[in-house]
Amino acid sequence: MALARPRRSAAPTPLAPQVKPTLSVEEWEAKAPLDDDEVRSVAEIKLASEHVPLPAKFALDDAGPSRPSTPLALQRNKPAPGSSRPNTPLSGPPPPRSTVHALHPKQPIQTPQQFYDWFTLIDRSVAHSQEAHFRAHVANVAEHLGACDLLVEKIDLVDREVDGMLEGWRGVEEGGKSLKDACQKLLEEREKLVQLTEEIDTRLDYFQELEHATRMLNHPGESLVLQTDFLYMVERVDICIDYLKAHRHFREAEIYLFRYQQCMTRAMTLIKMYFVGSLRALSVDVSKRLHEKDVSPTAQMHLLYTRFKTVSSQLFPLLGELERRAHSHPQDLSALLDECHAAYFSTRKSLLVGKITEEIKGLDPSRTELVELTRAGCSYLKQLCSDEFELYRNFFASGEEQLYSYLENLCDYLYDDLRPRILHEPRLTVLCEVCTVLQALMVLDVSSVYGDDDDTELNDAEELSIDLDVKAARKVPSLQKFHISHLLQMVLQDAQTRLFFKAQSVIHSDIRYYVPRSEDLAYPEILLDAEKSVAGTELLEKASVSELFRLPSIEKQNTWYPTLRKTVWVLSQLHDFVKPAIFEDIAQEAISLCRMSLVAAADMIRVKAPLDSHLFLARHLLLLKEVTQSLDVAQREAEGSGISMKNAAGMSDTLATMLSKTTSLLPDALFSSLGMPRMDESIQEAKHGIDHELRRACETIITLCTDPITQPLHDWAIAPNSDTTGSLPPKPNGKPSSCEIVIVFERACTTELRAHAARLRLYLEDSRTVTARVLLEHVCERIGDAYEAFWEAAGSGMRDGDELLSVFAARQLLIDACT
């Protein structure tokens, strides 16, 4: 067994498996050849690595031999002190410790067993020497493993510490969050409590104001309303009333609301009492001074207006508060404001009645001319009412309806005398002048506008002005500018009513039922006399005519039929003084009656002169048509239908407008000659009658001028035994030849047609002589067409070598005759 142990120890088991190289030495040498220096370096490294020093624990003595010592582990393999095998005795004294190598036998070897033990020791030492680098590596790895284990332990310790710290941080975080939530909740509760406290304090302010208001209102003396805190208290009470009305669900809100309303009523009553007392004292003083002797007009104006304006600066803020509260609470306070108005108006009326009566008596209403009475009386009342209006504005900012009612009462002192005079005035011109005076006064109305600028100036001048941040002051309807038309409207309506009925009476008496005289129907003598006369013409009752009827032919009114003159005069009187709707009605009536009178007069003239009757009717209808085009009624209707009447001026354009509505009675060439297209616009009823009569008159005039000339031509063309060749002599009792007809035609053109043309120019002449020319052109055209038909019927023949008159020559003959 002792022999087998060394063999087992001679082949130690490797610690790790050998890694098979991926490259052989030859491949390595082929891929990375080494030079001489590199081979030499590798050899030196190999030589150095062959001699590995012993570990320090085996080097017991640095001076000892270089042979490696026996490992300390062999000491454990030594026989124990009580072993059955005794050690080999030493032959001599033991060498010194420092000089004996550890592998040397301590005693000489005497037995085989000692030799085996020593050999085993040497064998182990050699094995140990061969495995030294493995053991060193294992020791190094073990040392590193120990260090790693130590690091792992420390890391685990640190990890445990970090986990503890993290757990503690989480605990602190959760605790801080809970604390924060708790604090936030406390803050929210605190804010709610603070807000609730503020809301309670705010709402309590509306209840606590009652004590302050009651204490102030119980303060004796009239000077209370003049204190600065009084108006502030009134404003606060008004705010409290509005708040409690909006929050009636509050506890005891109805009770406090009732008490606040009582305070407001008491405050406004104090203002009313102070105003009435101040006004009464001032009225007594002024009335006493006015009844003194030798009071000049300047002194009267000072007493009646300046003294009141002086007091108004102190009363206006108080009355303004009363007006605003009455506007906000009309059921409770409007009666107090009405009492203030009544007190003011009664005071002013008592002071002014005597002066107004005296002024009206000075005008002598029963003897003064109506126009002068209207002008003087209304001018005085306008100035008086304007002064009263201005004075009223110094006290009040509302109550316009009551103010005008008061001013109407003052005006009634004059109207009681003026209105009967107007209603019994028989003269139309005087009524027109009265309307002119009244309209002039209304046009010259007060132009200044009272607005926000006045309110700003008044607020700047007030000593008792207040500025509250709680709410803005309510807007009260303020007075507008003074309109005298409100006061004169009634008198103007009376004058217009009387004017309307008087004009209607004139229309019926002087137009509808007019009985013409013989000299009124003396046409064309009237026209011939007018051409010889150079004297001007005038209207019978009024020298001037409204601008509406400034017609081109107005200068020859002496040649007009009397009903047409009266129609123009009446309409010129009414146009500027009655309402458009009323004027339209009466204008239509007057024009219709005038047209009927003209038709009746034309029928009377037709008995002795048919052509003159139709020319008379056409002349006056053209004038009447021109009058209707000047009326506002026709102008508004033309604007509404989108038709411009700017080009319709004068009798010629009137005729053209009428002819544009003509049917097949007149040829289409008539429209082209006038340069106007056919129009289908609608006109008022009165103009329809004029157009109808005018069309008939024009057609009749054309017929009367053409028939005497064209009738022989027509009769010859349709008579039997017509001589179409003109080569045979006329038979006894047969129709005449074409040459004789031509001779008769030429004679008629030179005599009758020329006379008719002169008559047309006499009746229908205007400043441009266009109207007669238009009719004469169509007369010539109709005659020319008749002659052309005759010329064709005659076959354009010749008789005895004489050529018939050509169509062109005939038309030229007609033109010469009408020129």
Side-chain angles (χ1 to χ4, degrees), residues 68-137:
S69 60
T70 304
L72 296 178
L74 297 178
Q75 301 296 328
R76 295 191 297 268
N77 296 327
K78 290 183 178 181
S83 176
S84 60
R85 293 182 66 182
N87 290 333
T88 301
L90 295 176
S91 58
R97 186 179 183 91
S98 59
T99 60
V100 179
H101 194 272
L103 295 179
H104 292 177
K106 297 179 180 181
Q107 294 178 2
I109 300 174
Q110 296 178 359
T111 63
Q113 185 63 37
Q114 290 180 347
F115 175 79
Y116 289 139
D117 293 339
W118 176 79
F119 182 79
T120 301
L121 179 63
I122 294 301
D123 186 33
R124 290 179 179 176
S125 176
V126 172
H128 183 269
S129 298
Q130 292 177 353
E131 298 174 356
H133 63 285
F134 295 107
R135 287 192 296 272
H137 178 69

Side-chain angles (χ1 to χ4, degrees), residues 680-692:
D680 296 328
E681 73 275 12
S682 61
I683 59 175
Q684 60 184 4
E685 182 179 357
K687 295 177 66 177
H688 279 297
I690 297 175
D691 291 341
H692 178 69

Side-chain angles (χ1 to χ4, degrees), residues 759-785:
R759 187 64 59 89
L760 259 68
R761 293 190 184 94
L762 177 64
Y763 276 94
L764 303 178
E765 182 181 10
D766 59 2
S767 58
R768 294 176 294 171
T769 65
V770 176
T771 305
R773 190 182 73 233
V774 171
L775 289 177
L776 288 175
E777 287 178 356
H778 292 282
V779 169
C780 294
E781 184 177 358
R782 182 173 295 188
I783 296 175
D785 294 340

Side-chain angles (χ1 to χ4, degrees), residues 15 129 134 225 228 231 327-328 360 492 554 572 585 612 619 641 736 740:
L15 297 178
S129 298
F134 295 107
V225 296
T228 306
L231 294 181
H327 180 71
S328 304
I360 293 176
L492 180 60
I554 194 75
S572 65
D585 293 338
D612 288 331
R619 170 186 172 84
S641 59
E740 292 178 354

Side-chain angles (χ1 to χ4, degrees), residues 668-723:
D668 293 338
L670 180 60
F671 300 100
S672 60
S673 65
L674 294 173
M676 296 182 59
R678 292 180 180 269
M679 294 181 294
D680 296 328
E681 73 275 12
S682 61
I683 59 175
Q684 60 184 4
E685 182 179 357
K687 295 177 66 177
H688 279 297
I690 297 175
D691 291 341
H692 178 69
E693 295 293 340
L694 191 55
R695 284 196 297 269
R696 288 174 46 186
C698 291
E699 178 64 22
T700 304
I701 290 171
I702 295 175
T703 302
L704 291 176
C705 291
T706 58
D707 283 353
I709 302 175
T710 60
Q711 190 63 38
L713 300 176
H714 181 70
D715 293 341
W716 186 91
I718 64 175
N721 300 325
S722 62
D723 183 11

Side-chain angles (χ1 to χ4, degrees), residues 536-539 545-546 548-560 564-565 568-569 572 623 626-627:
T537 59
E538 297 180 354
L539 292 177
V545 183
S546 174
L548 179 68
F549 301 102
R550 290 293 183 183
L551 309 177
S553 55
I554 194 75
E555 294 81 5
K556 296 183 179 180
Q557 284 198 41
N558 58 337
T559 64
W560 293 4
L564 179 60
R565 286 201 305 268
V568 174
W569 179 78
S572 65
L623 292 171
E626 192 174 358
V627 170

Side-chain angles (χ1 to χ4, degrees), residues 22-82:
T22 58
L23 294 176
S24 63
V25 176
E26 291 78 6
E27 292 177 353
W28 187 273
E29 288 293 339
K31 292 183 178 180
L34 302 177
D35 55 6
D36 297 338
D37 295 335
E38 292 174 346
V39 172
R40 201 165 34 252
S41 299
V42 171
E44 293 177 357
I45 294 173
K46 179 179 179 182
L47 182 62
S49 61
E50 290 178 354
H51 302 281
V52 180
L54 293 174
K57 58 183 179 178
F58 296 108
L60 299 177
D61 190 3
D62 294 338
S66 59
R67 190 174 181 179
S69 60
T70 304
L72 296 178
L74 297 178
Q75 301 296 328
R76 295 191 297 268
N77 296 327
K78 290 183 178 181

